[in-house]
Every structure is written in structure tokens, then in C-alpha cells.
Amino acid sequence: MSILEDARALAESGPVCDACLGRAFAERSFGLTNAERGKSLRVAAALDDDEPYEAVDTEDCWVCEGACAEFDDWAERCAEAIEDVEVETYQVGTRAPPLVEENELLLREGAGLPEDAGELFKSEFNREVGKRVGRLTGTEVDFTRPDVQFLLDIEADTVEAQLNSAFVYGRYRKLARDIPQTEWPCRECDGSGYKGKEPCDYCGGSGYLYEDSVEGFVAPVVTDVMDGVDAKFHGAGREDVDALMLGTGRPFVVEIMEPRRRSIDVEQLEGDINAMADGEIEVEGLRLATYDMVERVKKLDASKEYRAAVEFDDDVTDEELGAALDELTGATIEQYTPHRVDHRRASITRTRHVYDATGELEDARHATVEIHGEGGLYIKELISGDEGRTNPSLAGILDTGAVVTALDVIAVEGEDEPFEDDEFFKD
């Protein structure tokens, strides 16, 4: 059959609007709306038959039941849903009424066309409403990770506007000890602050094992500035609670859920966070980031540099310490899960590399050691040996007990490339 014969067969089923008629031929020609296709076919068929042209009111269409006349109304409702929200990109999805979907199948079946001819009703609805939303709001469509996703439920007559998360990247330095990276709920009361009806003795009723955290200093400020409902803190690894994070700082991303503001002054935000932290932590290099930066921060292979204050059980000479550190430089270390983390880590042997190890004695029993190693290398155990679970170790090579009395992380950098790649930023 020719395209005009197919169009006639569709039109003979009853009053079919131009959009529903043209939708069966959506793959034919470009630059036309389905309504334009449908009207053109109807006109061409009338000319070919030498019959009067008869238009069909969209409201009378038995297929869409008038829904294709409502693109403007739905777009206006979408715009109203975000009139007080900052967004740059959007996407529209439609939940089509089951009856309309059934009518579409009956229309094609009755005309002898394949059930998948053209495109679906909801695909046209997404596109036509979406074009209008873009014009009304000055935003651009994004089919990957838009700022806002609209769901149009035609049968329920509702518009749902889902705001996707916004992301702020930066680096933090932790300038005081005994501050965890993220909030640490009390394990005795599961963060409630109560055991039964009484305040929890273990956490003093606070619900947390530590009063402050890097997350606690950073996330609430970002959430407030971006007018979000909640936040998640994503770090490139984490240092021990009793370790400082100095030098270049540790990369992190704060994810803000359902933000109503996205255009923010990151320099002002940086100052606000640092003022709130009052010397406990500080952040720098804040930038608006993409969704993909979360995975990059969490999964990019990184090396780390540490400075450790070490105390020995026996006297050690400069020559002995130098020789031991030379032996560790370039060494492959096998570490069975340390005692101090075996309650939350799988019991396996990990292989990590030491890139460089230097240090100097302060006296015969005390030294400062600097280690540059592969990510995941347990530094305290590299020094102590952890009762033989780490091999080789500084204590094992020196044949004396050794313990880290203070640990500082002084650099966290990508192994093969920097964390800061412009591809992952929005500015």
C-alpha cells in the first residue's frame, strides 16, 4: 500500500486528529511535527480523491481523546512547577493512559499497519511538551543527567518535577585530631542518643561518637547555600580519625539533594565554610562539578604521602634507620587485614607498594618518617608490623618494636592523572 492508502485506512477508523494520524508516519521525512504530517496527508488524500478537505478537531479524536491539544497546557504546568527553582537543563517523561496506548494499537491494527509503526504517543508527548518547556523556561533538554526531570501522568492529571542532585568539588585539610571525615553514629544507640528511655551513656546522648566531623562542617553550609533538602559527603578515601590531613588536602564531593539554587559563588561558599569550621578544618578549590565527579573521587587510583612520628622499643642509630628506609623504598608490601580494622574489613591479604621512604632520628628512640605509597597502604602497620600481619615492616627490618604516635597525611594525588580534570566541572 502507498502512504496515502495507509493514511486513508487510518482516517476511516473514526475521527483521528492530525497528530495521531501523522504519528504513524513519524519516521517519514524530517523537520515536521506529527500534526503537520497528519494534516499534509489528509490534504494530499483529499486532492488525490478530488474530495472536500475535512479537518478533525483534536478534542474529537478517539485515539488520544483530545490529549494532543494540551501540549501548551502541560508545558505551562511544568514551568510553574519550577518557577522558583534554578535549573539549566530538563527532561520530560510521560505516563500515557492505558486506554490511549490500547487505542494506538487498535488504530494500526485496523489499518493493517505494524503495531510499532511510527512512534509511541508518549514519545511525541515528551518531545512536544519538552520543546515548549524549553521555550518557556530558557532551559535546554538533557537526556543524560538533567537538573530537573518532569513526569507527566496524563490519567492522574499530575506533573511531578524531580530535582536531581547538584555537586560541589573541593579539597579539605583537617587541622585537628579526633575528627572523623563523616558523621559517626554511636554504635550503642544506633545514633538515636537513647538506650530505651534513657540518654545513651556511651555517646552522652548526642547520638554520635565524635562531636565534629569534616562532613558536619562542610555539608550543612553547602546545603543551606544551595537550598537543598539533604547532603551526602563523598571523599577520596579517608584518613584515620586521629590523623591530620595537611598539605594538598583530600579531594571530596558534596552532593546536594533537590537543590533550588545552583548558581552559587563558590569563593564565598569557601569562606563561609572556613569561618564556620574556625580552624578545625579548611577547604579550598571549590568548584561546581558534574555527577560523574563522584565516581572519579571514589575510584580514581591515588597515591598518598604520610608523615609519621615513630617511637622505638630499643635504641636505633641513624645508619640503621637509613638502611631500613632504603629497604622499604620500592618494596612490595603484603598486608593481612590489620587488627584495628578487621571488624569492618574483609580478612584478606592486600599487596601494596612503597614508592619512597625517608626519615631522620630525633633521638635514639624517636624518629620522623615520611612515606609515599600506593593508595590503600596501611601506614601504621607498615611501621609496627602488626604482629607479623604486615611484611616487610620498619619494625621487622630493625628487629625492634615500633609504633606510630602521630600521623599526618600530607598529599593525596591521582596515580596517573590529577583529580581536577575540566571535563568533570560545570564552570
Side-chain angles (χ1 to χ4, degrees), residues 314-334:
D314 300 302
D315 289 353
V316 175
T317 67
D318 288 327
E319 292 75 14
E320 290 172 333
L321 177 62
L325 293 173
D326 287 344
E327 187 172 336
L328 284 178
T329 297
T332 298
I333 312 298
E334 292 188 351

Side-chain angles (χ1 to χ4, degrees), residues 126-146:
N126 293 343
R127 182 179 61 257
E128 292 301 325
V129 174
K131 289 189 299 186
R132 291 161 171 80
V133 169
R135 289 196 295 267
L136 288 171
T137 61
T139 55
E140 296 183 359
V141 66
D142 181 349
F143 296 112
T144 55
R145 183 79 183 181

Side-chain angles (χ1 to χ4, degrees), residues 172-186 208-218 233 237-245 250 280-281 344:
Y172 74 81
R173 283 185 287 273
K174 194 175 75 177
L175 308 178
R177 302 191 191 279
D178 295 324
I179 297 178
Q181 181 188 90
T182 55
E183 294 180 342
W184 199 326
C186 174
Y208 295 94
L209 294 184
Y210 296 89
E211 181 178 353
D212 297 318
S213 66
V214 177
E215 176 185 21
F217 285 123
V218 176
F233 191 95
R238 64 176 66 217
E239 65 285 336
D240 290 341
V241 172
D242 61 353
L244 300 182
M245 179 67 244
R250 185 180 297 276
E280 299 287 294
I281 67 118
R344 52 188 172 90

Side-chain angles (χ1 to χ4, degrees), residues 238-239 250 303-308 369-379 407-411:
R238 64 176 66 217
E239 65 285 336
R250 185 180 297 276
S303 68
K304 294 155 189 182
E305 296 181 34
Y306 300 84
R307 180 172 57 234
V369 172
E370 294 193 359
I371 305 290
H372 180 201
E374 184 179 1
L377 177 66
Y378 290 105
I379 299 302
L407 182 66
D408 303 333
V409 187
I410 54 179

Side-chain angles (χ1 to χ4, degrees), residues 143-177:
F143 296 112
T144 55
R145 183 79 183 181
D147 293 340
V148 60
Q149 292 177 287
F150 296 105
L151 176 60
L152 317 180
D153 191 323
I154 297 175
E155 188 171 46
D157 193 31
T158 59
V159 173
E160 178 183 337
Q162 175 61 53
L163 297 175
N164 284 327
S165 297
F167 305 89
V168 176
Y169 170 87
R171 285 175 175 262
Y172 74 81
R173 283 185 287 273
K174 194 175 75 177
L175 308 178
R177 302 191 191 279

